[in-house]
Structure formats: C-alpha cells, structure tokens
Amino acid sequence: MVFIFYILFILFLIFCLLAFLAAPSPNGLGRFKALDTRYFAHRGLHTKDRTVAENSLEAFALACERGYGIELDVQLSKDGKVVVFHDDTLKRVCGIDKRVDQLTYEELRNLKLHQTKSNIPLFSEVLALVNGRTALIVELKTGKNNPVLCRKTLDHLRRYEGKYCIESFDPRIVAWFKKHAENVVRGQLAAPVNSYGESASRGVSLLMSFCLLNFMGRPDFIAYKNVPRPLPVRLSELMGAAKVCWTSRQPHDNTGNTAEIFEFYEPEKTCASLIQPF
C-alpha cells in the first residue's frame, strides 16, 4: 500500500512538473481570438505552380483581396534590414548558394523569387501594403542576432495600425517578447522531434517538440505541425493555449483548431465572416 502511494505521489509530481513547463499564458485563447481571424495564408496566398511566389508582395495582396489573414517570415539582412523571407539560404527560392544574412538589402532586392518578377520585400513594405486590412502572424526566424531582430520587428509593429501576433520556433524569441512587449500576442511554433534536424541537439529538440520550454515565454498559442500532438502540447491547450495548425493543405485539416495556416487551397470562410466568436 505504501509503495503504491509513493508511485502515485511520484506520478503526481511528474504531472505537476509537466504542467509547469508546458503552461501557456493565462488568457492565451482569448488574446488570440481577439485577432478575429481563423484562416491565415501561409507566406501569403502563393500558388503551387510558383507563378505567385511565396512571401511576395503579390501573394500578400492576394490574401488581402480574398479576405484571409497572412503568415509571413522575417529575418535580418547583412546590413540589418528586416526582410521577409523564409529559408536561411537563398538557394531554393532564388537559386543563389548564400545565406540571407550574407547579403545587404540592396543585393537581396536584385534577386527574383522563383524566377518571377517579384523580389524580396522589406517588412516595412509588407506592412504598408496590408495597411490593417487583415491580421498577421509574423514568424521570427532564429539567427545570430535574435535580440536585434526582435527589437527591430517590434519597432515596425508598434508603428503599424492593424492586428498582428508573433511566433517563433525559438523559445528565446517568444521569451523576449514576453519580457519586452507582453501585450503582443505570442506563439510557440513546434513540430515532432525529427523535424528539427541539426538545428538543435536531440535533447533540446525533444523539449521543443513537447513544448516543455513554454515556461520561458508563456505563449498564447501553440502553432503545431499538422500531425497528432503529444501529451504535453495537449495539456498546454487544455490550460488555455489557442490551438493553431500548420500547414493545412486540404479543408478537413482545420477540424478542432482555433485557427489554421493554409496553402494551395482557399478555405470557404473569410476574415470578414469570423468577427463572431469561433
């Protein structure tokens, strides 16, 4: 009987530890719902045939016209400009075997996205284009100068009159916003442990996959890859984190989610129809 009691007590302590590590912001779901948007076009409303390039002004303009929110990625150029681009390197999208942070913005703007007429935009250009017409999810890419990227991104957002939130795979970035701009809705991006590759050690990848570093930034939402979520992530959602899915590529992917980040199809509902609570 005593042995069973000890086992139950240890299990209780483990559960309490998991709950502490994975706990989100106290009112995460409510804060996220204030964006009044359920569907976010992944890197803008770009096309599968690449005639409209990802993270291009054209893709963002289309998302606004169709009434969808926008998810986009920001990072720094060599000369410290906040640019909108996803990959660390330019190889896949621009055909140049260099890192984004190895080129100045003047050099970057001469490159074309997927051989279209579009070039890499500044974050300020995207904000001017959207101009408050729809909600934004701004993903900050981790790099050598995270605090600088966070500060410059926040400077742009503070001058922007529109609805937005931020997210990152790096819990240190989420924690930065908790410390310096707690009013900004923030999200923790996560995925299964094998998705992190060599960007982190196996142990750190496991902690990030299970969202056990939430204690650093207490995110308002968990943006998890479109696969079954592990127990600690579901526990975080039960404790109030908004549930965001990425990346949905067919309509039934949005079942049970607070919001979805989608691409290559257009959900039926638009931002205008989501003013009422989901």
Side-chain angles (χ1 to χ4, degrees):
M1 187 70 179
V2 175
F3 176 75
I4 294 175
F5 172 79
Y6 279 124
I7 293 297
L8 291 175
F9 182 68
I10 290 171
L11 291 174
F12 173 74
L13 290 179
I14 292 173
F15 175 82
C16 289
L17 177 61
L18 288 176
F20 169 77
L21 296 176
S25 166
N27 187 32
L29 183 59
R31 278 161 54 90
F32 184 86
K33 281 189 173 183
L35 298 175
D36 290 332
T37 306
R38 183 168 183 172
Y39 298 101
F40 293 84
H42 187 228
R43 306 175 196 170
L45 204 60
H46 64 106
T47 57
K48 197 169 186 178
D49 63 6
R50 297 179 174 178
T51 53
V52 178
E54 65 182 63
N55 276 328
S56 66
L57 292 178
E58 289 76 10
F60 300 138
L62 273 176
C64 289
E65 290 169 11
R66 305 285 173 83
Y68 297 116
I70 293 169
E71 184 270 352
L72 57 86
D73 311 274
V74 295
Q75 56 182 298
L76 294 174
S77 63
K78 183 179 180 180
D79 52 344
K81 302 291 186 182
V82 183
V83 298
V84 179
F85 196 82
H86 177 268
D87 298 2
D88 293 334
T89 71
L90 298 155
K91 182 70 173 177
R92 179 181 66 87
V93 177
C94 300
I96 304 296
D97 194 16
K98 289 188 177 181
R99 291 178 57 88
V100 176
D101 58 12
Q102 289 179 315
L103 299 181
T104 66
Y105 179 65
E106 287 302 315
E107 293 170 318
L108 291 172
R109 71 185 302 176
N110 291 322
L111 305 177
K112 299 303 179 184
L113 302 173
H114 291 307
Q115 299 181 332
T116 64
K117 294 181 180 180
S118 301
N119 54 15
I120 298 173
L122 289 167
F123 186 41
S124 58
E125 292 179 308
V126 176
L127 294 179
L129 171 72
V130 177
N131 194 27
R133 288 184 288 168
T134 192
L136 304 175
I137 296 178
V138 180
E139 179 186 343
L140 286 84
K141 311 300 290 186
T142 191
K144 300 175 182 178
N145 296 305
N146 284 350
V148 176
L149 175 63
C150 291
R151 177 175 54 80
K152 290 189 174 184
T153 300
L154 181 60
D155 287 345
H156 283 298
L157 291 172
R158 280 178 168 161
R159 295 191 295 269
Y160 176 68
E161 296 184 3
K163 294 183 178 182
Y164 61 84
C165 63
I166 66 93
E167 66 177 10
S168 182
F169 276 102
D170 193 329
R172 296 171 298 180
I173 289 176
V174 182
W176 189 96
F177 275 85
K178 181 180 185 298
K179 180 179 180 180
H180 297 280
E182 194 169 10
N183 62 309
V184 174
V185 178
R186 56 192 180 271
Q188 181 61 59
L189 273 163
V193 64
N194 58 3
S195 302
Y196 293 91
E198 297 179 357
S199 61
S201 68
R202 182 72 177 179
V204 172
S205 295
L206 187 65
L207 291 172
M208 293 170 69
S209 174
F210 285 1
C211 289
L212 294 179
L213 299 177
N214 279 1
F215 70 93
M216 296 173 64
R218 297 298 181 208
D220 297 297
F221 64 96
I222 307 296
Y224 208 84
K225 191 172 183 178
N226 189 26
V227 295
R229 294 161 166 83
L231 177 61
V233 176
R234 286 184 277 140
L235 178 61
S236 181
E237 292 164 355
L238 284 173
M239 289 189 287
K243 183 179 178 181
V244 179
C245 160
W246 65 271
T247 300
S248 164
R249 293 189 173 90
Q250 48 191 340
H252 70 258
D253 286 343
N254 62 14
T255 304
N257 294 306
T258 312
E260 70 171 83
I261 299 168
F262 71 92
E263 67 180 5
F264 303 150
Y265 81 100
E266 295 189 30
E268 294 180 5
K269 294 182 180 179
T270 64
C271 299
S273 67
L274 289 169
I275 301 302
Q276 302 301 319
F278 320 149

